[in-house]
Amino acid sequence: MRSKIIQDGQKKKASFIEEARRRQIVEGAISTIASAGLPQASLARIAQDVGVSKGVISYHFAGKDELIQQVVNALFVETNRFIKARVDRAPDAPRRLRAFIEASFEFMAANRANFVALVDIWGSFGSPEAKRRFNADMYDPCRHHLEGILRRGQDSGDFRDFSPGTLAATVQGAIDGVMLQWVFDEEAIDLADCAAELVTMFDLATRRRA
């Protein structure tokens, strides 16, 4: 019995260490892609930037394609988790919509490398099917989250009648339109000002008329 407990503890420790190493490699890949671009982000280059051997990366990932998929997953999960935590603290739909927009821009400002890497990966997909899969992974959760906020506002009487799906796509499109401009020219875009303008714009666009 004691031997089994020790073995289980060792397995959990090994699993924790492996997961931490995978996270380190994924974070290093994001940094390398953001600084050098996806075509130059070879496994050897990523390994050098992380400070491990290429063999260590190959142990944890089947190849560059799997690593990039994990990078994409990590970028989406981290962004959505941050936004959801902020939205969930808001007491009503208007303030939830405001929190969604503000949190989106706050996360951008604090994690520029994530979005530079994301845009570079976004542009690398050659086939229409690959682009559709990427866009579905990226936008479906965001639109679903926004649609829930908008429907709740309509149900509570805070928002006017409109198509929640259409407006959710419009809100997310506005956020991403600013993000793309900021990725290409950081000095040209003030994220805080853009967030404030979008909050005002969509408050007016959703507000029920007296």
Side-chain angles (χ1 to χ4, degrees), residues 4-5 12 55 58 62 100 113 123 132 134 155 163 178 196 198 200 210:
K4 186 178 185 305
I5 292 174
K12 288 180 181 178
S58 297
F100 186 100
R132 278 194 294 270
F134 182 82
D155 291 343
S163 165
V178 173
L198 289 183
T200 299

Side-chain angles (χ1 to χ4, degrees), residues 16 22 50 104 117 143 177:
F16 176 80
R22 285 173 65 89
V50 173
S104 297
R143 285 195 298 259

Side-chain angles (χ1 to χ4, degrees), residues 11 13 16 19 22 29-31 39 53 63-64 66 74 98 106 125 129 139 144 163 167 172 174 181 187 191-192 202:
K11 286 179 181 178
K13 182 178 179 181
F16 176 80
E19 184 57 34
R22 285 173 65 89
I30 292 170
S31 178
S53 69
K64 184 175 177 179
E66 184 188 351
R98 178 186 186 119
E106 286 178 24
F125 296 107
E129 180 58 32
Y139 285 116
H144 181 74
S163 165
L167 195 55
Q172 192 60 53
Q181 295 176 71
E187 299 302 319
L191 292 181
F202 286 111

Side-chain angles (χ1 to χ4, degrees), residues 98-115:
R98 178 186 186 119
F100 186 100
I101 295 169
E102 290 178 341
S104 297
F105 284 98
E106 286 178 24
F107 190 80
M108 279 184 220
N111 298 275
R112 178 172 170 80
N114 288 25
F115 293 91

Side-chain angles (χ1 to χ4, degrees), residues 2-180:
R2 176 179 171 80
S3 175
K4 186 178 185 305
I5 292 174
I6 292 173
Q7 288 176 355
D8 288 345
Q10 290 173 336
K11 286 179 181 178
K12 288 180 181 178
K13 182 178 179 181
S15 178
F16 176 80
I17 292 172
E18 288 190 356
E19 184 57 34
R21 177 65 80 184
R22 285 173 65 89
R23 272 199 312 272
Q24 180 191 24
I25 293 168
V26 167
E27 290 169 2
I30 292 170
S31 178
T32 301
I33 294 167
S35 62
L38 184 61
Q40 284 70 45
S42 64
L43 293 184
R45 171 68 182 271
I46 294 168
Q48 180 181 8
D49 291 349
V50 173
V52 299
S53 69
K54 182 180 174 182
V56 169
I57 295 181
S58 297
Y59 172 80
H60 291 282
F61 300 95
K64 184 175 177 179
D65 287 347
E66 184 188 351
L67 175 55
I68 296 306
Q69 184 59 56
Q70 290 303 310
V71 165
V72 171
N73 291 345
L75 292 173
F76 292 161
V77 167
E78 190 177 355
T79 304
N80 292 335
R81 183 184 295 128
F82 180 88
I83 294 171
K84 185 177 185 302
R86 289 286 302 277
V87 169
D88 286 350
R89 294 200 296 268
D92 54 40
R95 278 176 282 192
R96 282 180 170 238
L97 180 57
R98 178 186 186 119
F100 186 100
I101 295 169
E102 290 178 341
S104 297
F105 284 98
E106 286 178 24
F107 190 80
M108 279 184 220
N111 298 275
R112 178 172 170 80
N114 288 25
F115 293 91
V116 174
L118 184 64
V119 170
D120 206 61
I121 294 169
W122 199 356
S124 71
F125 296 107
S127 72
E129 180 58 32
K131 291 176 181 176
R132 278 194 294 270
R133 284 198 307 270
F134 182 82
N135 285 335
D137 289 343
M138 180 175 181
Y139 285 116
D140 284 354
C142 299
R143 285 195 298 259
H144 181 74
H145 191 186
L146 278 166
E147 280 188 51
I149 295 170
L150 297 171
R151 290 185 191 281
R152 176 175 173 174
Q154 289 179 326
D155 291 343
S156 66
D158 290 311
F159 292 160
R160 65 176 178 84
D161 291 335
F162 51 76
S163 165
T166 298
L167 195 55
T170 304
V171 173
Q172 192 60 53
I175 293 170
D176 286 340
V178 173
M179 181 270 288
L180 283 170

